[in-house]
Amino acid sequence: MKNKDHVHIIELKESTYVGDKLSYDIIHYVNTQIISKASFFHFSDKERESEPVFTYYNNQWWVNRYVGEISFSFQEQEYLIIVKPRFGELFLFELLEVIFNFKFANSDHSLGKFNRSDDYIKRIIAKIWLTKLTQANKYGLPRANRKKIFSGAQIKGRLNVRDSILPYKNGKVLLSSRYEKIINPDIASVLYETYKKLSKSYGLPQVNKLPKNAIQIIHHLELTHKKSQIHKTHYNTSKLPKIYQSYKEVIDLSVSILSNKTLNNKASNKSGYSFFLDMAEIWEMYLLKLFQDRFSTEGWKVTSETIQAYKGSFYARKLIPDIVLRKGREIAVFDAKYKLMRGHYLDVDRPDFFQIHTYKAYYNKDAELIVSGLIYPIVNNEMYKQPVESILNKTTKFLISGISFDKQDNTEYNVIDFKRNSQEFLDKIQDLVN
């Protein structure tokens, strides 16, 4: 525990043992008084169960899977708890770069260095949003048709015959109309409101300090936003014309940012402030992107699905496997689990084990299920075994596996080795589905 400017600063890592760094009173206070649903920023709209930041397991208190920070006052003492990725900030950058298909600049890697006035998690989100905005602007901002009415002696566009009868009789005035392309005001509103929130609370620079290609976009958004006076916080991206599909990711991300009510220190919660990313969600998104990049080019349709079991009954349930591969009648299903995996029996939770077997039974009913399994970050590379025969039949394989996180020394994990291990893992899956 450190003391800086009369604030107790406590640095922890997600998914690790708390030890003597926090007392039970502080843990209880944080879990019950500070953390709310608005504390967690999600990149996707997938349904997720709320869990505390600190969880009790095997007679010990553990940090849950979240990365971020908490600031609060307890018994007349100010605290700042910083929860970092257990594999290091460079790994977090690597996962996000793959998910969102962009590269952090070398200077951005310094975001992870501690600076109390600089919430690096929020700055990462702002960086991703700005990059996705500029990448999306291939053909300009999305446009929509607007009908414009003209009144006068000349016809502009199409003559409105019925509407022109009285005006022409009384004053030789004709009414005509034509459609013209304008920047979609709903989308402009969503994007500009997001920019304002990011510049106010997420560390995004003011417009004159942005990259040149971003400045022009923001100026266009501001003009359209002021003209329309529409304040939209949602937009259904399924309505996007094909030419503007590049905006889908940044609009969806904007909606996530706008729907998050956590703004700034102690503004959203009188007891304190907290803001977190869910590493389990990031792990799922990373694995899905890896599978899509590898298998989509080989004729597999790779998705994350939501399916309904026993639809129409009072006991209907949603099943949400993280990764589903389809090719004709062949299918493979996997679930991503961001949990400690050392190759021990107790590392595989019973609910996770039975959940994947429920998915297996569902998909095997109407398709040819090739393989299924649970995918973890692995810290013991020796635990990987060949897949085994499934309990469903003799042709379906089942595996518990994942991507190895190799330590470079006693403190640092090697990102280069992780990239290689990711591809080696995909090679093993490819051997199973081919």
Side-chain angles (χ1 to χ4, degrees), residues 417-434:
D417 287 347
F418 173 72
K419 292 180 180 180
R420 184 195 66 239
N421 294 342
S422 295
Q423 295 307 311
E424 290 179 354
F425 166 74
L426 290 174
D427 291 341
K428 294 172 183 176
I429 299 298
Q430 192 167 16
D431 290 340
L432 292 173
V433 300
N434 284 345

Side-chain angles (χ1 to χ4, degrees), residues 21-83:
K21 293 185 178 181
L22 294 175
S23 67
Y24 168 76
D25 290 341
I26 291 179
I27 291 173
H28 179 72
Y29 181 74
V30 168
N31 277 348
T32 58
Q33 300 296 320
I34 309 242
I35 306 302
S36 66
K37 192 172 183 179
S39 301
F40 304 98
F41 180 88
H42 291 292
F43 291 105
S44 68
D45 57 1
K46 182 177 178 179
E47 294 182 12
R48 298 179 184 278
E49 296 182 3
S50 299
E51 294 185 23
V53 169
F54 301 107
T55 182
Y56 197 67
Y57 173 74
N58 197 23
N59 297 320
Q60 295 176 329
W61 282 101
W62 289 71
V63 185
N64 215 329
R65 61 182 190 262
Y66 306 111
V67 173
E69 67 175 46
I70 318 161
S71 65
F72 59 97
S73 177
F74 181 74
Q75 295 181 349
E76 299 183 353
Q77 174 64 57
E78 295 292 326
Y79 290 89
L80 175 63
I81 300 175
I82 302 169
V83 183

Side-chain angles (χ1 to χ4, degrees), residues 283-295:
W283 179 244
E284 292 170 15
M285 295 173 70
Y286 171 74
L287 289 175
L288 179 61
K289 189 66 166 59
L290 282 187
F291 273 78
Q292 288 174 335
D293 290 346
R294 171 66 72 93
F295 294 102

